[in-house]
Amino acid sequence: MSIFIPILILMCLESSPQDAYRNQRIQMVSKQIIARGINDRKILEAFREVPRHKFVLPEYVRFAYNDSPLPIEEGQTISQPFIVAFMTDALNLKQSDRILEVGTGSGYQAAILAQICDSVFTIEIFESLSQKAKSVFEELGYDNIYCKTGDGYEGWPEKSPFDAIIVTCAPTHIPKPLKEQLAEGGRLIIPVGEGQVQHLVLLQKKNGKIKQKNILPVRFVPMVDDDLKKY
Ligand code: SAH
């Protein structure tokens, strides 16, 4: 009896690797996201749920919950968790919103959006990244993320209009097709500019007119066309 009780206690105390990741996510949310002023409960819950370590390269798994972007294949990056949260928050999402993402990359941002909204459409220019993200979505059981390989500059006209559009690569100007594919009341968040001088810009369509404001200096990978030329 006296032997069994301590063993039982030890078994209960031992945490699984999944619990360890969950603890890291809880820490990430409090230190990187809430501490910087984001309080939307749906967003915080999404960050506690989505296993970011599934979206990074194997050699970076131990850094998955760090306060930084990380390299992914094709010379691209998975964004810093805070910037993913900041852009998501700026879109002021509700569950019924249809969202377009340009720049699937690892798929992490799309998974966060899919926790909050009913349908997420995401476009990636590199076939390999799009395929890999798709297989992670399948592994994690997401059935509300629709992937397409192609040039997101053109948007996804067949699936438009969108209540929200998020662009995670930076063109030098705001693509006209994306503005056209915004629904009435829709919001578009996009980094615009070249090299060191990019700005995160938020646009909103009201009564058919678009208003825009610069909200933050940022640094994203460039938006490119099929020949990898910068837009
Ligand atoms: N949202 C991603 C961030 C990826 S970085 C994540 O959560 O991981 C931006 C991505 O935009 C890169 O994968 C890059 O290949 C892609 N990209 C660049 N130009 C593009 C274009 N014209 N159309 C679609 N995707 C593009």
Side-chain angles (χ1 to χ4, degrees):
M1 182 73 176
S2 56
I3 298 172
F4 287 123
I5 292 172
I7 289 176
L8 207 69
I9 292 172
L10 270 179
M11 282 168 68
C12 294
L13 288 177
E14 199 178 310
S15 65
S16 70
Q18 292 318 312
D19 291 339
Y21 287 127
R22 178 145 183 100
N23 288 339
Q24 288 186 46
R25 285 200 290 280
I26 290 168
Q27 292 294 315
M28 171 185 82
V29 167
S30 65
K31 291 188 181 151
Q32 301 173 31
I33 300 178
I34 299 175
R36 293 177 179 136
I38 292 175
N39 294 305
D40 183 317
R41 285 174 59 185
K42 307 183 294 295
I43 297 178
L44 302 180
E45 204 40 42
F47 278 84
R48 290 189 191 106
E49 286 299 319
V50 179
R52 193 170 194 262
H53 62 279
K54 296 275 183 188
F55 294 88
V56 304
L57 291 167
E59 57 270 40
Y60 292 110
V61 164
R62 65 202 157 105
F63 306 121
Y65 297 100
N66 282 10
D67 192 13
S68 63
L70 292 170
I72 58 172
E73 292 94 339
E74 308 290 359
Q76 305 303 316
T77 53
I78 173 172
S79 306
Q80 179 195 16
F82 173 68
I83 198 78
V84 177
F86 184 87
M87 290 172 82
T88 307
D89 195 42
L91 287 172
N92 203 9
L93 299 170
K94 55 180 188 308
Q95 195 186 333
S96 58
D97 283 344
R98 282 164 72 83
I99 309 182
L100 173 69
E101 179 192 31
V102 175
T104 314
S106 68
Y108 181 66
Q109 170 83 69
I112 292 286
L113 296 170
Q115 293 281 133
I116 301 168
C117 296
D118 289 340
S119 43
V120 178
F121 298 85
T122 181
I123 311 178
E124 169 57 52
I125 203 147
F126 286 101
E127 169 93 49
S128 57
L129 290 175
S130 186
Q131 289 303 330
K132 189 169 176 206
K134 210 171 162 186
S135 68
V136 179
F137 298 148
E138 274 164 23
E139 182 194 335
L140 297 176
Y142 288 102
D143 58 5
N144 59 340
I145 305 177
Y146 306 92
C147 298
K148 173 175 155 173
T149 304
D151 187 351
Y153 185 95
E154 303 299 336
W156 197 334
E158 307 87 320
K159 302 290 181 188
S160 70
F162 299 100
D163 303 298
I165 302 180
I166 179 167
V167 182
T168 65
C169 46
T172 55
H173 58 277
I174 299 167
K176 200 166 162 237
L178 298 184
K179 290 189 199 174
E180 290 167 353
Q181 290 170 35
L182 265 188
E184 175 57 30
R187 291 85 59 206
L188 162 60
I189 191 151
I190 181 167
V192 187
E194 272 192 282
Q196 310 276 3
V197 279
Q198 296 172 3
H199 270 92
L200 204 52
V201 181
L202 181 66
L203 294 86
Q204 183 150 23
K205 195 180 263 186
K206 270 195 185 147
N207 304 322
K209 291 203 177 103
I210 291 190
K211 279 192 178 161
Q212 79 178 60
K213 60 176 177 187
N214 284 5
I215 45 178
L216 199 74
V218 282
R219 187 122 186 243
F220 278 81
V221 297
M223 182 184 274
V224 293
D225 67 13
D226 289 321
D227 299 319
L228 301 183
K229 286 204 199 84
K230 289 180 192 173
Y231 273 113

